[in-house]
Amino acid sequence: MEYRIEHDSMGEVKVPADKYWGAQTERSHENFPIGVGIETMPKEIIHAFGILKKAAAQANHALKPEKMTDEKLAAISQAADEVISGELLENFPLVVWQTGSGTQSNMNTNEVIANRANEIAGKKLCHPNDDINMSQSSNDTFPTAMHISAVIALEDKLLPAAEGLIETFRKLEEENKGIVKSGRTHLQDAVPISFSQEISGWRSSLEKDVELVRLAVEPLKSLALGGTAVGTGLNAPAGFDTKVAEEVSKLTGKNFKTAENKFHALTSKDEIVFAHGAVKAMAADMMKIANDVRWLASGPRDGLGEITIPANEPGSSIMPGKVNPTQCEQVTMVAVQVIGNDTAIGMAATQGNFELNVFMPVIAYNFLQSTRLLAESIVSFTKNCVVGIKANEDKMHHNLYNSLMLVTALNPYIGYEKAAKTSQLAFRENISLKEACVKLGFLTPEKFDEVFHPEQMV
């Protein structure tokens, strides 16, 4: 491998000649051999860094044109665009397990953009610290990148995925109107419910989750940029914080604003904790829905068997013909991961000592993993399972009329205690509710038929 010599305040460093990163990136690459190639800084963070560096250059050009010249802005903007597009992603090798402020990833971005901008300009035009990091600090850029990436992940990936599943459930409700089945509570038989009502519960849960995520997104649109090292805004020109938020908004098409209190923005991660709580709520509902689906599809002969789901792949290496609810299983595993991530994020957010939280990379890593996994999980579940759900009406009808809890319909006519005795006798002697009720002398056969209509109980 060929190398070139780069330098920083600590001296010279050999860097791979075919990469744009510089000395500080290389030092981090060598000093943190932890999860290399596996747990690298999320690409969403790199994307967000490209956005904020371009926005910062534009704001500096407006406020400090003598330092951020037209020539520098043009070169930096082009290089930043290449970072945003993902074209330069191989130049970001650093792992999550680095400095807790994310300083090394900030410098990775500064060095890549500076070296690429110099290549574009054909001369040594830009310095990583003096130009790309102008009016900034790692302490305000990393939390800004976290918020930008979180908003994009939630609004552009997770919410569309959830809304797609909501729409699929809505169609499923229409297809299954009029089908009545046994309800279940405590995993025991309960009074009847229509299948469309059951589906509506799934849909409504997700609709509420979408509402909660939308509420949680708004605080994330406040940006720390402009606070620099400790929140005072040292070395940033007046108005930089407002101007750079405007530029980020233009680049993303989202309404970002500067944080009202930069001291809070640098040290507290409460907005991220709150937003991930909404993500966790959605994961919890997805766990419930997936479990309902696989219970209802259990069988095909010795389970509930009230619905069928698509047979996507063989389910066993030894049992021929076996098909498993694999899409439900991936959803539940993802939900467990999201819930675990929530604990990590909550713990990391407690570590905002004095003027800076130094657990930011692990917060960003877990948050973005949760949103990415949950969004992709929901899309897969919708496409490969939910669209193919079919009601087994015969089995639903059989289970409905076999349920002893239909006796609840008799409460208004014979009272709770007599209804309980009817149910107990029917179960004990394995006879129908009608036979038990008549045998006990509580109703005549004619009166029983007059008042007993399970389909009307929904």
Side-chain angles (χ1 to χ4, degrees):
M1 181 183 290
E2 294 185 1
Y3 293 91
R4 70 177 190 278
I5 300 299
E6 289 271 350
H7 77 276
D8 59 13
S9 60
M10 295 182 71
E12 294 185 342
V13 179
K14 288 171 61 178
V15 175
D18 62 340
K19 297 296 188 288
Y20 288 114
W21 70 69
Q24 292 195 46
T25 302
E26 186 62 29
R27 290 187 195 280
S28 179
H29 195 33
E30 294 173 0
N31 291 335
F32 297 93
I34 308 163
V36 175
I38 300 170
E39 290 163 333
T40 53
M41 191 60 65
K43 62 183 180 181
E44 297 94 335
I45 288 287
I46 308 307
H47 175 79
F49 261 116
I51 291 169
L52 76 86
K53 292 298 178 181
K54 181 175 182 179
Q58 292 169 330
N60 281 318
H61 180 257
L63 299 171
K64 301 168 70 171
E66 72 285 357
K67 289 188 174 292
M68 183 57 66
T69 63
D70 291 346
E71 184 180 22
K72 287 182 178 179
L73 176 63
I76 291 171
S77 295
Q78 183 176 333
D81 282 340
E82 292 175 8
V83 172
I84 294 167
S85 71
E87 191 176 335
L88 302 181
L89 197 57
E90 65 177 15
N91 290 277
F92 293 87
L94 301 188
V95 294
V96 171
W97 318 111
Q98 54 166 280
T99 173
S101 61
T103 297
Q104 289 143 5
S105 283
N106 179 47
M107 283 308 304
N108 187 181
T109 309
N110 291 334
E111 290 173 344
V112 168
I113 292 178
N115 284 329
R116 177 63 182 129
N118 291 338
E119 185 176 73
I120 291 166
K123 60 182 179 180
K124 192 78 171 178
L125 178 67
C126 296
H127 186 278
N129 299 78
D130 295 336
D131 298 303
I132 315 305
N133 203 56
M134 186 187 298
S135 308
Q136 305 152 63
S137 162
S138 299
N139 298 352
D140 65 349
T141 59
F142 200 89
T144 296
M146 286 172 62
H147 278 212
I148 293 172
S149 62
V151 170
I152 292 172
L154 292 172
E155 290 193 337
D156 295 357
K157 289 197 73 175
L158 184 57
L159 288 176
E163 287 162 349
L165 181 50
I166 288 167
E167 183 57 32
T168 302
F169 279 143
R170 188 173 283 112
K171 291 176 182 175
L172 207 59
E173 283 177 67
E174 288 298 317
E175 292 170 10
N176 290 280
K177 277 189 173 177
I179 300 175
V180 179
K181 61 185 290 291
S182 179
R184 295 179 179 88
T185 58
H186 305 269
L187 294 181
Q188 303 295 307
D189 302 343
V191 296
I193 186 173
S194 74
F195 188 35
S196 61
Q197 287 172 329
E198 191 165 44
I199 298 166
S200 78
W202 301 338
R203 171 183 54 78
S204 185
S205 295
L206 282 176
E207 287 173 338
K208 181 59 67 176
D209 293 327
V210 165
E211 182 183 336
L212 294 174
V213 170
R214 290 195 186 283
L215 288 171
V217 164
E218 292 310 307
L220 290 171
K221 293 180 179 177
S222 292
L223 302 181
L225 210 55
T228 64
V230 294
T232 61
L234 180 67
N235 290 348
F240 175 80
D241 56 353
T242 303
K243 180 64 177 171
V244 78
E246 291 174 359
E247 297 298 336
V248 170
S249 298
K250 290 176 186 175
L251 291 171
T252 60
K254 301 180 186 301
N255 188 28
F256 287 98
K257 61 183 180 181
T258 189
E260 292 181 8
N261 188 305
K262 304 301 189 297
F263 307 104
H264 165 267
L266 267 59
T267 193
S268 174
K269 302 299 125 197
D270 50 9
E271 299 97 337
I272 286 279
V273 172
F274 182 64
H276 195 270
V279 174
K280 180 178 71 169
M282 185 178 290
D285 278 331
M286 286 301 302
M287 171 78 87
K288 179 261 191 291
I289 292 165
N291 276 334
D292 282 358
V293 169
R294 63 176 168 178
W295 272 106
L296 291 172
S298 61
R301 290 186 173 176
D302 295 337
L304 295 179
E306 293 190 344
I307 64 172
T308 59
I309 56 177
N312 295 323
E313 64 275 315
S316 173
S317 60
I318 189 172
M319 293 176 280
K322 193 172 192 296
V323 176
N324 296 329
T326 52
Q327 286 297 317
C328 299
E329 290 164 7
Q330 65 84 1
V331 169
T332 55
M333 286 191 289
V334 166
V336 167
Q337 184 66 52
V338 171
I339 292 166
N341 286 350
D342 194 70
T343 299
I345 289 170
M347 287 299 298
T350 67
Q351 302 302 306
N353 298 354
F354 301 115
E355 278 64 60
L356 187 67
N357 178 289
V358 291
F359 281 64
M360 288 190 286
V362 72
I363 292 174
Y365 178 73
N366 281 284
F367 187 97
L368 293 167
Q369 184 193 59
S370 288
T371 359
R372 182 172 60 248
L373 286 179
L374 189 56
E376 292 171 358
S377 169
I378 291 172
V379 169
S380 180
F381 182 58
T382 304
K383 176 184 176 183
N384 297 310
C385 181
V386 178
V387 295
I389 288 176
K390 301 293 182 187
N392 183 342
E393 294 189 51
D394 289 341
K395 190 64 181 289
M396 286 182 176
H397 185 271
H398 169 78
N399 289 345
L400 173 65
Y401 276 85
N402 199 44
S403 172
L404 296 176
M405 289 307 99
L406 296 179
V407 76
T408 308
L410 303 179
N411 284 1
Y413 304 97
I414 63 175
Y416 181 92
E417 290 191 10
K418 289 182 178 180
K421 289 179 180 179
T422 300
S423 173
Q424 291 160 1
L425 180 64
F427 178 69
R428 191 165 57 247
E429 297 189 5
N430 195 27
I431 59 177
S432 70
L433 288 172
K434 180 178 180 179
E435 289 171 321
C437 191
V438 171
K439 186 173 183 178
L440 289 167
F442 295 151
L443 290 175
T444 65
E446 295 76 20
K447 185 63 176 178
F448 185 94
D449 290 338
E450 180 185 331
V451 302
F452 190 75
H453 300 288
E455 285 80 5
Q456 297 176 12
M457 295 173 69
V458 300

